[in-house]
Amino acid sequence: MGDEAPGSTTDAATPAGVTGDRDIARWRLHSQLLAAPVASAEHVVSSLLAVQAENPSQSAWAVATRTTTPRQDDLAGMIASGRVLRTHVLRPTWHYVHADDARWLIELTAPRVLPVIDQQLKPLADELTRLIDSVTSILAENPDRTRNDLAGELAENGPPLTGQQLMLLMAHLELHALVCSGVPRDGEHTYALFADRVPAPRQLERDESLAELALRYFTSHGPATERDLAYWATLTLTDVRRGLAIAADRLGSFEHDGRTFWHAPGAAPDAAAPAGHLLQVLDEMYRGYQDSRWMLDAEGVMPRAREAAAGMALVDAQIVAGMRRAVGPTAVTFALLPFRELHARDVESIRDAAARYADYLGLEPRVEVVDG
């Protein structure tokens, strides 16, 4: 493929109502279901294709906040049933992914992710085959084992593994579609055999996978660029462009700031509502992009260094403050670290977002603005 992005059958002119970065960020609130929530966690995960899930508690909110009635038992029930998996895919970290998409997505993205994992597994190279056989045998006989369970049983037949080594081993097995999440035990992540949890996986040829990935990503994350997708899925630009070439007639595109932005067909949606959102720093609204991530900060108020806060407060699709969450016995406190002056409307919008989040947790909301 050449360096030029594949053409689209749609008009590449900027859509009506899109005049700058803010408008693209507002559009993304709709694409990502933050301003157009859906009925269930299963629908959210299927629509977004994958949701980064490194922190189970906070990533569960990333799913729930995109539903019309956020409930803790919604996603938990889907994971228990196996309709949604928590596994390594796309990048060297956890993601929620729908069972229907797990196999083809792992097969497409694992070849570029596995070397990162396997490089760190080199000290176990001589033991790797034995360890893989042991883990799969344990899970075949007794599924839904926690990491501590597996550590204890593996230590009975060989040298004990460190926590880091076992984590890498399980990621290796997940990226080969040998294991995945099992039924949680008292809220704790467990492992089971992939074949047992997904007995009839959907499988696609490579070109079909590349086209499906492009269509699903730009529909659920658009408007976004080809480089955003390459980052998100750990693919080469050549692969992304191949998928786009196949799927382009089912997408729209426009030029902005010297880049091509791809999106679901149709005009830009109406202004986003609700206006305020409290999100973890790993939320797809932020982590789902790299090339055009800073559409969320059109005025450049947020420092571009490594994130200091665990989350962020958005108003009208723009980052206005960092956010730290503290959960107590009766209340959850959201401490805001402003990046600019917070006006009365900003605070009101954030308080509305805090009330939604607290209601999901079954707690009272508190919002504190941290000076300095």
Side-chain angles (χ1 to χ4, degrees):
M1 303 289 291
D3 289 336
E4 293 299 318
S8 168
T9 59
T10 61
D11 185 354
T14 304
V18 177
T19 60
D21 293 358
R22 289 174 178 271
D23 302 303
I24 292 174
R26 291 185 185 113
W27 191 336
R28 288 176 179 175
L29 284 182
H30 284 264
S31 302
Q32 290 217 15
L33 309 178
L34 285 166
V38 292
S40 70
E42 182 177 8
H43 190 166
V44 171
V45 175
S46 180
S47 294
L48 293 183
L49 188 55
V51 178
Q52 187 162 332
E54 185 175 327
N55 182 310
S57 169
Q58 295 196 28
S59 61
W61 172 244
V63 175
T65 192
R66 291 167 163 85
T67 64
T68 51
T69 307
R71 304 188 335 266
Q72 293 190 57
D73 63 352
D74 188 2
L75 178 64
M78 288 298 99
I79 294 173
S81 72
R83 293 295 293 161
V84 170
L85 307 178
R86 180 173 177 257
T87 193
H88 279 75
V89 67
L90 290 179
R91 302 188 294 280
T93 190
W94 299 98
H95 283 81
Y96 298 123
V97 61
H98 197 278
D100 291 344
D101 296 313
R103 183 78 188 213
W104 71 264
L105 199 55
I106 289 171
E107 289 180 346
L108 180 63
T109 63
R112 285 176 56 84
V113 180
L114 265 168
V116 178
I117 302 296
D118 290 349
Q119 175 67 28
Q120 299 174 77
L121 276 174
K122 277 189 174 182
L124 296 177
D126 293 341
E127 293 289 310
L128 195 56
T129 299
R130 179 187 66 80
L131 289 168
I132 290 171
D133 290 343
S134 295
V135 170
T136 53
S137 295
I138 291 168
L139 294 178
E141 185 173 343
N142 293 297
D144 308 325
R145 312 298 284 168
T146 67
R147 194 180 298 172
N148 285 339
D149 292 336
L150 291 171
E153 295 184 50
L154 289 172
E156 293 177 3
N157 300 301
L161 301 179
T162 67
Q164 176 75 0
Q165 288 174 329
L166 183 54
M167 182 192 71
L168 291 167
L169 173 63
M170 299 312 294
H172 174 93
L173 289 164
E174 288 172 321
L175 289 164
H176 281 91
L178 292 173
V179 306
C180 63
S181 56
V183 179
R185 188 194 308 162
D186 298 325
E188 187 175 356
H189 181 89
T190 70
Y191 294 93
L193 293 181
F194 186 95
D196 290 344
R197 296 294 273 169
V198 191
R202 182 183 179 214
Q203 294 183 285
L204 302 174
E205 297 296 329
R206 182 171 175 78
D207 277 1
E208 290 179 303
S209 294
L210 290 170
E212 177 92 353
L213 178 71
L215 182 63
R216 299 273 293 277
Y217 174 81
F218 289 116
T219 297
S220 64
H221 290 69
T225 71
E226 59 181 22
R227 292 183 183 274
D228 287 321
L229 175 51
Y231 157 79
W232 189 78
T234 319
L235 292 177
T236 65
L237 279 172
T238 297
D239 277 341
V240 168
R241 289 166 179 166
R242 184 170 181 84
L244 265 173
I246 302 170
D249 62 347
R250 290 171 282 171
L251 293 166
S253 68
F254 61 87
E255 300 298 317
H256 172 71
D257 196 24
R259 292 173 288 183
T260 301
F261 284 78
W262 297 85
H263 58 88
D270 293 335
H277 297 88
L278 292 173
L279 306 174
Q280 56 154 341
V281 78
L282 300 179
D283 192 273
E284 288 296 306
M285 191 66 184
Y286 179 80
R287 190 61 70 190
Y289 314 89
Q290 186 181 62
D291 180 46
S292 65
R293 176 177 294 167
W294 297 109
M295 300 289 164
L296 278 178
D297 185 18
E299 295 181 359
V301 299
M302 180 177 174
R304 297 305 194 250
R306 182 176 178 85
E307 301 92 355
M312 62 189 69
L314 268 61
V315 175
D316 192 21
Q318 293 294 295
I319 297 174
V320 298
M323 180 272 288
R324 295 195 182 103
R325 187 193 72 167
V327 178
T330 61
V332 54
T333 301
F334 301 98
L336 304 179
L337 295 82
F339 297 129
R340 63 161 174 78
E341 180 184 358
L342 296 181
H343 306 295
R345 176 183 173 276
D346 298 327
V347 176
E348 180 182 358
S349 297
I350 293 169
R351 289 191 186 280
D352 288 343
R356 294 196 305 273
Y357 202 155
D359 187 59
Y360 161 79
L361 295 173
L363 300 170
E364 292 296 318
R366 294 176 183 167
V367 176
E368 299 177 352
V369 179
V370 180
D371 294 331

